Amino acid sequence: EKHLVLLRDGRTLIGDLRSIDQFGTAGAAGANLVLHQTVERIHVGKKYGDIPRGIFVVRGENVVLLGEIDLEKESDTPLQQVSIEEILEEQRVEQQAKQESEKLKVQALKERGLSVPRADTLDEY
């Protein structure tokens, strides 16, 4: 059965669910998963691309969402599949635009006398 797994870091994996370890090292954090013939699906706008990843072991604490894919409805998507190279370039452009937007926001706040803590220092509090 094909399953979709959304990870805590935002990545999306699709693969055949081979094993669930509900009582293993993950404990209360959730079930460890083993996916076979896994692809990492990257979405940008109305396009997506799949990067083959093979066998993938996921610690339960990293799983945000796990769901079975309805194979009959999978092809009914308004999204356009593109090559790995194209989706990676689209993702790079999107991330660059987000960084530029964030820089503009920080600059606007500084001009108004406000400061924004850097993301890498938030864990220190």
Side-chain angles (χ1 to χ4, degrees):
E1 298 174 346
K2 216 178 209 185
H3 283 75
L4 179 139
V5 180
L6 180 62
L7 300 180
R8 194 166 56 173
D9 66 4
R11 288 185 293 169
T12 301
L13 302 175
I14 296 175
D16 299 326
L17 184 63
R18 289 290 182 235
S19 173
I20 298 179
D21 172 15
Q22 293 183 350
F23 307 103
T25 57
N32 295 322
L33 309 174
V34 177
L35 296 170
H36 186 252
Q37 295 181 339
T38 307
V39 296
E40 179 180 346
R41 181 159 289 178
I42 298 174
H43 295 93
V44 179
K46 295 219 176 240
K47 297 179 181 176
Y48 74 93
D50 291 340
I51 301 172
R53 297 292 189 200
I55 294 175
F56 215 94
V57 179
V58 183
R59 281 186 58 100
E61 64 190 28
N62 293 316
V63 175
V64 173
L65 176 110
L66 168 67
E68 187 177 347
I69 294 176
D70 186 339
L71 297 175
E72 292 177 10
K73 293 184 180 177
E74 186 181 22
S75 59
D76 279 353
T77 178
L79 302 177
Q80 173 193 359
Q81 185 170 10
V82 296
S83 70
I84 295 170
E85 294 79 18
E86 185 176 341
I87 200 65
L88 289 175
E89 177 61 18
E90 296 258 352
Q91 183 183 48
R92 187 190 65 75
V93 169
E94 181 184 59
Q95 288 173 345
Q96 197 171 20
K98 282 182 183 177
Q99 287 175 345
E100 290 298 320
S101 173
E102 194 60 34
K103 282 181 188 176
L104 290 173
K105 286 179 191 175
V106 168
Q107 185 62 36
L109 289 171
K110 280 183 181 178
E111 289 171 2
R112 291 166 177 79
L114 301 170
S115 66
V116 178
R118 292 193 336 253
D120 58 348
T121 63
L122 292 177
D123 290 337
E124 296 175 6
Y125 298 108

